[in-house]
Amino acid sequence: KAGVTQTPRYLIKTRGQQVTLSCSPISGHRSVSWYQQTPGQGLQFLFEYFSETQRNKGNFPGRFSGRQFSNSRSEMNVSTLELGDSALYLCASSLEGQFYGYTFGSGTRLTVV
Amino acid sequence: AQSVTQLDSQVPVFEEAPVELRCNYSSSVSVYLFWYVQYPNQGLQLLLKYLSGSTLVESINGFEAEFNKSQTSFHLRKPSVHISDTAEYFCAVSDTGGFKTIFGAGTRLFVKA
């Protein structure tokens, strides 16, 4: 079966712009989580969605937002980009939550210049 | 709240030697524990998980981890490593009632010929 698909794979944006990243989970998975990965901070939890509802969120500013659609696909949006937002953004899906472990996508590498 | 500490940032080891990657966690409630592996330019892959029951869990490629509740540890071991095991390994913890997984900073395993 198809894995977790993240688009685009690479993105270059300018400071002040906004960006939308997309994630298609494994078919049947209803939980989608987003993580930011940087060399200095490691994997930082952004938020988790289940059946279109945000169940938990990490300690990120309000510029970071997300949503989940009825088909479980998810998007995250970052507005007013800053240089420090440059990172690998990883999406992970699971049947219903962390009990089953996550299946990760390959990520979107965002570079802010 | 949970936290995860991976005690070694890098572990160099010769091929066919044994290896142990150390992980300690902190939590006031029951937890699920995971090890993930990340190869270059890829997302994370679930290696093994502890949910309940037997404290020793194994993966299909020869890794094993033991849950030690008294020492709050979940160390990953392999009796004989291969060059192909070179990757970054992440220990992760989730509380059984929450909806997010916290990752350690990662341990880079480097297997030398």
Side-chain angles (χ1 to χ4, degrees):
Chain A
K1 57 183 177 181
V4 178
T5 303
Q6 291 190 247
T7 56
R9 283 297 309 273
Y10 301 93
L11 207 49
I12 299 176
K13 289 288 188 178
T14 305
R15 268 186 306 175
Q17 288 186 312
Q18 76 165 19
V19 66
T20 299
L21 312 182
S22 179
C23 171
S24 293
I26 288 176
S27 178
H29 284 194
R30 295 194 292 165
S31 169
V32 174
S33 297
W34 288 89
Y35 287 83
Q36 181 195 67
Q37 186 179 25
T38 59
Q41 299 295 317
L43 281 146
Q44 300 289 312
F45 173 75
L46 280 155
F47 24 65
E48 190 260 3
Y49 287 89
F50 179 81
S51 293
E52 301 180 69
T53 300
Q54 186 183 87
R55 295 197 295 190
N56 208 339
K57 63 177 295 189
N59 298 321
F60 278 81
R63 300 185 296 108
F64 292 81
S65 62
R67 59 178 175 170
Q68 186 181 34
F69 302 96
S70 58
N71 62 358
S72 293
R73 190 177 70 85
S74 177
E75 290 181 347
M76 67 163 280
N77 183 278
V78 188
S79 62
T80 320
L81 284 165
E82 301 177 358
L83 295 178
D85 297 333
S86 294
L88 180 66
Y89 290 88
L90 292 166
C91 167
S93 77
S94 178
L95 273 171
E96 293 198 6
Q98 74 283 2
F99 181 87
Y100 300 93
Y102 291 147
T103 300
F104 278 84
S106 296
T108 294
R109 184 163 297 280
L110 171 66
T111 302
V112 182
V113 297
Chain B
Q2 296 83 44
S3 66
V4 181
T5 302
Q6 291 185 243
L7 297 160
D8 306 292
S9 59
Q10 295 187 64
V11 174
V13 63
F14 285 103
E15 192 174 21
E16 298 184 7
V19 70
E20 178 180 78
L21 307 184
R22 296 179 294 167
C23 172
N24 286 95
Y25 71 92
S26 170
S27 177
S28 57
V29 298
S30 297
V31 296
Y32 300 142
L33 295 160
F34 307 84
W35 276 98
Y36 286 83
V37 59
Q38 185 177 32
Y39 299 100
N41 299 314
Q42 294 186 26
L44 281 72
Q45 301 173 30
L46 180 64
L47 196 56
L48 45 75
K49 61 184 178 183
Y50 169 79
L51 304 178
S52 64
S54 173
T55 58
L56 185 66
V57 291
E58 299 176 352
S59 72
I60 58 173
N61 57 355
F63 283 95
E64 63 179 31
E66 186 160 20
F67 170 56
N68 188 319
K69 188 174 182 180
S70 62
Q71 297 188 5
T72 60
S73 68
F74 191 55
H75 301 333
L76 181 70
R77 304 185 190 93
K78 189 170 185 179
S80 176
V81 295
H82 303 289
I83 298 286
S84 59
D85 292 325
T86 294
E88 189 152 20
Y89 292 80
F90 293 89
C91 181
V93 62
S94 301
D95 70 73
T96 58
F99 306 111
K100 71 178 183 181
T101 299
I102 302 300
F103 287 82
T107 297
R108 194 171 296 275
L109 175 63
F110 179 58
V111 182
K112 301 177 285 186

